[in-house]
Amino acid sequence: MPTAHYEVGDSFPLQFAWHLPDGDYIRAVFQASVLDLVPQADKYVVRLNKLLAGRQENKEGELNPQQTFSSEYWLLVNDLVGRKITIAYEADDSRAIHLRLATLTGEHNFFTRYEDAEVMAKGLQAAAKRKAQEEN
């Protein structure tokens, strides 16, 4: 049975990774502050208070130079600061949680389910933009 290693008011590093369409990976580590525990679901409710670190790697896992980072996606990563999410207790082990790119672009509501309709509209715009790029 999963166990919470942190209590309300504690913080821990929470790492996410996304696979980009060009084959690169983005890894971002946030300071997650525990707002609540949901023991029935073995989850924390956390706020992503601060982006602690980030990197972009190529297909071979080598670090890309910062000037070659995808600014479009890093803007989306920075926009995650302040978001409130639920996350499984197992996520507190500091290993990267690999998520679908749609969670970063807002097409999937993982990071936005506590947000208002304006944020959801941004996700739909991002989806439309990416679809238009794929069609060209």
Side-chain angles (χ1 to χ4, degrees), residues 15-118:
Q15 182 179 179
F16 299 106
W18 296 273
H19 186 231
L20 301 182
D22 68 0
D24 281 2
Y25 281 90
I26 285 182
R27 296 179 184 276
V29 181
F30 294 88
Q31 176 187 14
S33 296
V34 179
L35 303 175
D36 202 358
L37 300 174
V38 186
Q40 306 89 325
D42 298 326
K43 290 187 175 188
Y44 296 106
V45 177
V46 300
R47 182 173 314 280
L48 304 177
N49 283 336
K50 182 179 181 182
L51 178 61
L52 298 174
R55 61 187 286 157
Q56 189 166 327
E57 304 165 355
N58 64 22
K59 296 173 190 174
E60 290 77 38
E62 299 165 336
L63 179 63
N64 288 347
Q66 190 170 0
Q67 64 269 21
T68 66
F69 284 13
S70 171
S71 60
E72 175 186 355
Y73 291 110
W74 280 102
L75 286 171
L76 296 172
V77 169
N78 282 304
D79 284 347
L80 297 178
V81 173
R83 300 275 189 203
K84 181 176 164 182
I85 63 170
T86 58
I87 196 79
Y89 290 158
E90 295 93 340
D92 67 13
D93 67 2
S94 75
R95 289 185 286 182
I97 301 164
H98 292 261
L99 297 173
R100 295 183 317 178
L101 187 59
T103 63
L104 181 59
T105 62
E107 297 165 68
H108 184 281
N109 70 348
F110 181 80
F111 290 105
T112 59
R113 52 180 71 136
Y114 291 101
E115 303 297 328
D116 61 15
E118 182 180 4

Side-chain angles (χ1 to χ4, degrees), residues 6-11 33-36:
Y6 297 94
E7 297 297 326
V8 173
D10 291 342
S11 294
S33 296
V34 179
L35 303 175
D36 202 358

